[in-house]
Amino acid sequence: SVFGQYADKIKDNRIWVTETGDTMLNQSNWVVDAYPKIRNAIHPETICQFVLWDGDIPDGQSFGLINGIESGQYHESNLFKTLTGSIR
């Protein structure tokens, strides 16, 4: 993997992984499947999710963590719940 190719070169650096996600919008599965691989391969200090709110778009079709801002009917996306441990 690309991580394996660079693991030695970056091992002594502080690493933040930012704006990682799945282009198919299955963010919860991406977090569950990919984050452990990233952590094990390059040992980042942190992995950052990149969108708090992505407009009032139906859950599963957005990169946002919170939805319903415009309507005032806030709810946490499945991705938010996955990241905070509410869904496993």
Side-chain angles (χ1 to χ4, degrees), residues 1 16 23 28-29 32-33 43-45 50 57-58 61 65 75 84 87:
S1 77
W16 283 33
T23 58
S28 293
N29 284 346
V32 170
D33 295 338
H43 310 287
E45 185 173 325
F50 52 100
I57 300 170
Q61 299 176 18
L65 298 176
H75 70 85
T84 60
I87 292 180

Side-chain angles (χ1 to χ4, degrees), residues 1 3-4 7 17 32-44 47:
S1 77
F3 297 130
V17 175
V32 170
D33 295 338
Y35 278 26
K37 292 174 186 171
I38 293 170
R39 283 188 182 102
N40 288 333
I42 60 173
H43 310 287
I47 299 176

Side-chain angles (χ1 to χ4, degrees), residues 4-20:
Q5 292 176 351
Y6 290 96
D8 256 4
K9 292 180 182 180
I10 61 177
K11 69 181 178 183
D12 296 324
N13 296 293
R14 293 178 64 193
I15 300 169
W16 283 33
V17 175
T18 62
E19 299 191 25
T20 184

Side-chain angles (χ1 to χ4, degrees), residues 53-58 66-76:
W53 176 66
D54 194 19
D56 283 359
I57 300 170
I66 299 174
N67 205 338
I69 302 293
E70 290 175 335
S71 68
Q73 301 294 315
Y74 311 129
H75 70 85
E76 301 162 350

